[in-house]
Amino acid sequence: GLTQVGQWFGFPEFSINYWFALILVPLVMAGFGLILERTMLKRLYHLDHLYGLLLTFGLALIIEGMFRHWFGISGESYPAPELLQGAIPLESIGIILPKYRLWVVVASLVVCFSTWYVIERTKLGAYLRAGTENPKLLQAFGINVPLMITLTYAYGVALAAFAGVLAAPVFQVNPVMGSNLIIVVFAVVVIGGMGSIMGAIVTGLFLGLIEGLTKVFYPEASSVVIFVIMAIVLLLRPAGLFGKEK
């Protein structure tokens, strides 16, 4: 929902250059996320995490409804930049790889592993992980935990907006493009393990390959294969593949 706002106003209304949009849209949506966290989400931190999920999901539905009312659902096309148009023939394996698809894969991997490195291998990441486990103790050492949480949430929204810009040339920009992926993303997180960034990265790549192969060999099952895998994983390992058992 947050990403769709940046996409719709950024692309067809103002014709922002693709490379500039990769920077501008995440910044704008990070600011929106920052305001959301400060005005709404922080009031729910003393409650179960489910309330925060319900709030953001509800806001996404509201934003989607407004944009469907204003613009309809026909969507707007957004061409890939000239540098990334065309394809690379891979004659050795008999396929043609679109340049833009290759760019999306490379950019996504760079962003994902950079985020993982910051959180798992740096002092800032250690503060963040400590803040989620014992914020009062971390504050006793002089760390501004509320500010850190706010900036982290803003960064998460910026990542969603960045993904939206990457997806724009592949899918039409429309108000429902984000909601179509919410359930799939939820399945990826559950299978990988709640709280595991590496689990989400590895599971996302794995499930993408599985879904792609299913579309080729058995298209009828491509829309449910992810959820079948999720059910099997939850039966065998409720915490997810990379999650920690309590």
Side-chain angles (χ1 to χ4, degrees), residues 7-28:
Q7 289 172 329
W8 202 280
F9 281 112
F11 297 150
E13 298 296 330
F14 299 122
S15 299
I16 295 176
N17 174 274
Y18 174 83
W19 301 109
F20 183 50
L22 276 177
I23 299 174
L24 178 63
V25 174
L27 289 177
V28 171

Side-chain angles (χ1 to χ4, degrees), residues 184 187-188 191 207-208 211 221-231:
V184 175
V188 169
I191 294 172
L207 292 181
E211 185 179 17
S222 61
S223 60
V224 299
V225 62
I226 291 178
F227 305 106
V228 172
I229 295 175
M230 181 176 70

Side-chain angles (χ1 to χ4, degrees), residues 37-38 124 127-128 130-132 134-152:
E37 196 277 338
R38 287 287 82 194
L124 176 61
Y127 288 154
L128 178 60
T132 58
N134 197 331
K136 292 184 178 180
L137 178 61
L138 190 61
Q139 281 184 302
F141 286 93
I143 304 298
N144 191 335
V145 176
L147 176 61
M148 184 174 63
I149 292 176
T150 299
L151 294 178
T152 302

Side-chain angles (χ1 to χ4, degrees), residues 174-185:
N174 62 79
V176 300
M177 64 184 297
S179 60
N180 293 334
L181 296 175
I182 288 179
I183 298 178
V184 175
V185 171

Side-chain angles (χ1 to χ4, degrees), residues 71 125 130 145 196 244:
F71 301 106
V145 176
S196 173
K244 295 180 180 180

Side-chain angles (χ1 to χ4, degrees), residues 32-43 45 144-151 153:
F32 187 86
L34 189 149
I35 295 173
L36 173 64
E37 196 277 338
R38 287 287 82 194
T39 57
M40 297 184 185
L41 284 174
K42 75 170 187 178
R43 304 176 186 276
Y45 287 155
N144 191 335
V145 176
L147 176 61
M148 184 174 63
I149 292 176
T150 299
L151 294 178
Y153 183 80

Side-chain angles (χ1 to χ4, degrees), residues 23-209:
I23 299 174
L24 178 63
V25 174
L27 289 177
V28 171
M29 299 316 298
F32 187 86
L34 189 149
I35 295 173
L36 173 64
E37 196 277 338
R38 287 287 82 194
T39 57
M40 297 184 185
L41 284 174
K42 75 170 187 178
R43 304 176 186 276
L44 303 179
Y45 287 155
H46 64 286
L47 302 175
D48 190 272
H49 294 315
L50 178 62
Y51 290 93
L53 174 63
L54 292 175
L55 172 63
T56 52
F57 183 68
L59 288 173
L61 293 178
I62 292 173
I63 293 172
E64 177 185 313
M66 290 191 301
F67 275 77
R68 292 181 65 164
H69 174 72
W70 291 335
F71 301 106
I73 59 173
S74 58
E76 294 281 349
S77 62
Y78 189 70
E82 186 176 349
L83 179 65
L84 298 175
Q85 293 180 2
I88 303 173
L90 301 177
E91 298 178 356
S92 59
I93 55 178
I95 65 173
I96 297 178
L97 180 64
K99 291 181 181 179
Y100 189 77
R101 300 282 180 142
L102 178 61
W103 155 249
V104 170
V105 172
V106 172
S108 300
L109 287 175
V110 170
V111 170
C112 287
F113 283 108
S114 296
T115 302
W116 170 84
Y117 182 83
V118 170
I119 293 179
E120 298 292 339
R121 294 291 186 268
T122 66
K123 183 180 293 187
L124 176 61
Y127 288 154
L128 178 60
R129 286 181 279 117
T132 58
E133 294 291 335
N134 197 331
K136 292 184 178 180
L137 178 61
L138 190 61
Q139 281 184 302
F141 286 93
I143 304 298
N144 191 335
V145 176
L147 176 61
M148 184 174 63
I149 292 176
T150 299
L151 294 178
T152 302
Y153 183 80
Y155 177 71
V157 175
L159 287 181
F162 183 82
V165 178
L166 289 179
V170 180
F171 307 99
Q172 282 192 324
V173 181
N174 62 79
V176 300
M177 64 184 297
S179 60
N180 293 334
L181 296 175
I182 288 179
I183 298 178
V184 175
V185 171
F186 175 75
V188 169
V189 173
V190 170
I191 294 172
M194 296 292 288
S196 173
I197 295 178
M198 182 57 69
I201 295 172
V202 174
T203 302
L205 292 172
F206 173 73
L207 292 181
L209 291 173

